[in-house]
Amino acid sequence: MGLIVQKYGGTSVGTTERIAQVAQRVAGYQARGHQVVVVVSAMSGETNRLVAMGRELGGDRPSAREMDVLTSSGEQVTVALLSIALLELGLTAKSYLADQIRFRTDSAHGRARIEQIEVEKLRQDIDQGVIPVVAGFQGVNDQGDITTLGRGGSDTSAVALAAALSADECEICTDVEGVYTTDPRIVEGARRLSQITFEEMLELASLGSKVLHPRSVEFAGRYRVPLRVMSTFIPGPGTLITLESETMEQAEVSGIAHAVDEAKITVAGVPDVPGIASKILGPVGAKSIEVDMIVQNTGVDGMTDFTFTVKRQDYDTTLDLLKEVAADISARTVTGDNAIAKVSIVGVGMRSHAGVATKVFDRLATENINIQMISTSEIKISVVIAERYVELAVRALHDAFNLHQEPA
Ligand code: ADP
Ligand code: ASP
Ligand code: MG
């Protein structure tokens, strides 16, 4: 019993039949004495469809303000449909768009950050047994303009609401039975984790595991929201995201993430002098392009090579930009590759296990996969490889670390 915020993702509300099933599921919780607040995504494929139409008319960079008005419409449809389905079951439900509950964000269209949520209306509803059905993904800025939180952002809407309402749990209901050791669509033997720490989940999400929006994990960690990922249609305990506990299984590696939306740029033959990194990356930063990994080779004869990665959507702009500044920095060549992928292994256990990196490198060598770049932190190792090897690499590493088996 208690207050639960449940978020249903795109596949879970992908058809009217599924929406009716979701309504049944919500009704079941209420019948068992829970108070429920529901957050929904757009029907699966809908946000992509809207984005494609916007780009068709607005080119590569359609107005960010109008794109938010456009893409947020997907969630308007599903809150209404789910409310209708709940009413049909005899429950009282009420849909809410972001501006109706002052779900306030900053004005960064397409990647807005939540600032404040007014929960009075929702509280009144909850107290009267009404089930609020809130549109995920969208917000409103202080001008009253619609904003969106970034792709996958409904998870963050739900966690933020759970925090604001001091809910007992936030359930992310989706098309898999929890958080797995890796994407179960790539590795058949991927294993559901019964729990995972916030720290590890944040790394996995940030490194490409689509199952949770990175900011939702950040939020849940900061406001201590008990967060659970579970299947909408298959009953089960799912995966609880927890604070690190003494008793938790400590495998050397907890999970593997991959990202294929990356690209790399190499500036070769630049003078190995102070300030060169800033001259190369300065113009990139000035365009608000996010740089991920950076590698500078040891200089030979006063010259060096410099390689970094950006999101694939920023590849063309970045390459053009560096070709422009190449003369300025006396670079010999500027080249790029946008068919790369990043594979990362994550685990708090790495702190206490040695030889994890070696195992990664050995196994990739055995598979004949060339590592182009490496980056490490206390609890993760990431490698950049050719995109065509990404599935092979994930499967091989999953096997190398025995992730299909429960740790002893
Ligand atoms: P929703 O529409 O419900 O938000 P998403 O498609 O955003 O669902 O996220 C769920 C998907 O995340 C799964 O279908 C799965 O393919 C993918 N995924 C990637 N990594 C993992 C992982 N480690 N565990 C579970 N699912 C993962
Ligand atoms: N509908 C949005 C998207 O597809 C938000 C979400 O599903 O979380 O990105
Ligand atoms: Mg999602």
Side-chain angles (χ1 to χ4, degrees):
M1 292 238 273
L3 175 61
I4 302 184
V5 175
Q6 291 180 337
K7 177 252 167 180
Y8 292 95
T11 332
S12 308
V13 294
T15 61
T16 45
E17 290 78 31
R18 289 206 171 153
I19 291 176
Q21 279 175 275
V22 166
Q24 293 281 1
R25 188 177 191 276
V26 172
Y29 273 76
Q30 207 191 37
R32 290 194 293 278
H34 291 289
Q35 295 173 313
V36 190
V37 172
V38 183
V39 174
V40 286
S41 294
M43 294 169 110
S44 57
E46 179 61 6
T47 314
N48 286 344
R49 189 182 75 88
L50 296 167
V51 168
M53 282 198 294
R55 293 214 175 120
E56 203 181 306
L57 294 171
D60 284 347
R61 286 176 186 253
S63 153
R65 180 185 184 279
E66 302 315 326
M67 284 305 277
D68 277 355
V69 176
L70 177 65
T71 54
S72 62
S73 69
E75 275 72 12
Q76 177 160 357
V77 172
T78 46
V79 283
L81 289 175
L82 181 58
S83 301
I84 291 170
L86 286 165
L87 291 165
E88 194 56 23
L89 292 179
L91 305 180
T92 38
K94 215 164 155 185
S95 66
Y96 286 107
L97 301 180
D99 62 340
Q100 292 173 291
I101 51 164
R102 307 254 181 287
F103 196 106
R104 278 269 312 282
T105 69
D106 63 15
S107 297
H109 287 290
R111 53 188 158 89
R113 286 184 169 264
I114 300 166
E115 289 179 341
Q116 206 192 346
I117 309 171
E118 278 177 22
V119 291
E120 289 76 46
K121 262 191 200 170
L122 300 180
R123 279 230 181 279
Q124 277 173 19
D125 283 347
I126 296 165
D127 290 345
Q128 291 165 11
V130 176
I131 301 172
V133 182
V134 179
F137 183 51
Q138 54 178 254
V140 59
N141 69 11
D142 56 6
Q143 314 284 307
D145 287 337
I146 296 175
T147 58
T148 62
L149 308 180
R151 297 306 305 272
S154 296
D155 300 332
T156 303
S157 310
V159 175
L161 274 174
L165 290 163
S166 308
D168 296 291
E169 190 162 291
C170 181
E171 291 180 354
I172 303 294
C173 307
T174 183
D175 56 1
V176 283
E177 285 178 68
V179 177
Y180 283 65
T181 45
T182 195
D183 190 338
R185 290 185 207 289
I186 292 195
V187 179
E188 220 181 290
R191 180 171 51 86
R192 180 180 59 81
L193 300 163
S194 55
Q195 47 179 19
I196 185 167
T197 65
F198 280 109
E199 206 183 359
E200 291 169 308
M201 194 61 235
L202 185 58
E203 286 285 5
L204 285 173
S206 310
L207 294 165
S209 292
K210 195 174 144 210
V211 64
L212 282 175
H213 192 236
R215 220 171 287 152
S216 70
V217 185
E218 213 178 289
F219 235 95
R222 185 168 340 134
Y223 296 101
R224 299 273 192 270
V225 177
L227 181 62
R228 191 185 293 277
V229 177
M230 61 205 300
S231 160
T232 301
F233 301 116
I234 303 169
T239 302
L240 187 64
I241 324 293
T242 59
L243 297 167
E244 201 164 344
S245 75
E246 294 284 314
T247 54
M248 254 173 98
E249 52 188 49
Q250 286 249 325
E252 28 176 23
V253 170
S254 300
I256 303 179
H258 71 279
V260 291
D261 58 344
E262 312 249 324
K264 95 177 167 178
I265 312 265
T266 300
V267 185
V270 284
D272 191 11
V273 293
I276 196 68
S278 128
K279 277 195 183 141
I280 293 173
L281 296 178
V284 179
K287 289 235 163 177
S288 300
I289 295 170
E290 217 177 293
V291 171
D292 180 15
M293 284 194 205
I294 305 172
V295 173
Q296 184 181 341
N297 285 344
T298 313
V300 178
D301 296 334
M303 302 298 267
T304 188
D305 298 340
F306 196 94
T307 302
F308 61 94
T309 62
V310 293
K311 286 264 175 268
R312 202 171 283 178
Q313 71 201 39
D314 295 325
Y315 175 68
D316 291 333
T317 319
T318 315
L319 199 55
D320 291 348
L321 193 64
L322 279 159
K323 285 189 170 154
E324 271 169 41
V325 299
D328 255 9
I329 51 175
S330 319
R332 193 177 66 237
T333 56
V334 176
T335 52
D337 182 355
N338 67 357
I340 59 160
K342 181 166 72 178
V343 175
S344 310
I345 61 166
V346 171
V348 287
M350 267 185 229
R351 288 191 181 122
S352 50
H353 289 87
V356 174
T358 315
K359 206 187 260 187
V360 172
F361 306 150
D362 285 353
R363 185 57 188 253
L364 293 178
T366 309
E367 304 293 336
N368 241 328
I369 299 173
N370 186 41
I371 301 174
Q372 305 178 9
M373 296 172 86
I374 301 168
S375 112
T376 63
S377 76
E378 212 188 358
I379 65 161
K380 73 125 206 268
I381 298 168
S382 297
V383 296
V384 168
I385 58 171
E387 182 182 357
R388 62 182 178 283
Y389 296 130
V390 67
E391 298 203 357
L392 174 61
V394 171
R395 287 196 193 105
L397 293 174
H398 197 269
D399 177 64
F401 288 98
N402 276 323
L403 291 183
H404 52 281
Q405 265 171 20
E406 292 278 347

